[in-house]
Amino acid sequence: MFRKSVQSKPTTYVRAVMEVNPSNIAPNGFLFAGSVVTLADTLCGNGCISNLPEGASGFTTIELKSNHLGTARDGTIECIANSVHMGRTTQVWDAVVTHKQSGKTIALFRCTQMILYP
């Protein structure tokens, strides 16, 4: 179960980086798409946790979509997730994953979370 942290204002974006290394390279020699989705989904989920409405006990993802536009073989990828909608019953978050060294977009991601109440 996730609990809302005490904060003075809502978190509207979350950022993280991930090194591309042999553990997240697919057999074809490129970045495994699942690692990109996992990074983006984790950030969107953390954003949601940070913005749970009063009385909420947690959330569950009810929809996610990713468009993979590029890939990487090395370096670092960066993900920035932004809130699009922070309602009482749902939240929507968008994330953009880029290759830091080239600046190219690797993926676009959107997810919708349903807010859970006891």
Side-chain angles (χ1 to χ4, degrees):
M1 181 189 307
F2 299 106
R3 299 271 182 219
K4 180 178 179 180
S5 61
V6 177
Q7 56 190 356
S8 59
K9 60 183 182 176
T11 301
T12 57
Y13 80 96
V14 184
R15 177 188 170 276
V17 296
M18 182 178 80
E19 295 296 321
V20 178
N21 60 52
S23 69
N24 52 33
I25 294 291
N28 65 2
F30 293 100
L31 183 61
F32 177 56
S35 64
V36 175
V37 172
T38 299
L39 177 63
D41 190 41
T42 298
L43 286 182
C44 293
N46 283 326
C48 183
I49 290 168
S50 296
N51 291 286
L52 288 175
E54 188 68 36
S57 60
F59 76 95
T60 189
T61 300
I62 56 176
E63 186 269 341
L64 62 82
K65 179 185 185 338
S66 61
N67 293 100
H68 297 265
L69 308 173
T71 191
R73 292 178 182 242
D74 55 28
T76 305
I77 61 172
E78 176 180 47
C79 182
I80 298 175
N82 290 287
S83 63
V84 177
H85 166 74
M86 287 195 283
R88 181 154 171 73
T89 58
T90 59
Q91 289 188 19
V92 178
W93 287 76
D94 282 349
V96 177
V97 182
T98 57
H99 185 250
K100 281 192 65 138
Q101 287 73 21
S102 69
K104 292 185 179 181
T105 301
I106 301 292
L108 303 174
F109 180 88
R110 174 171 273 194
C111 69
T112 304
Q113 293 104 348
M114 179 174 62
I115 307 302
L116 303 174
Y117 292 89

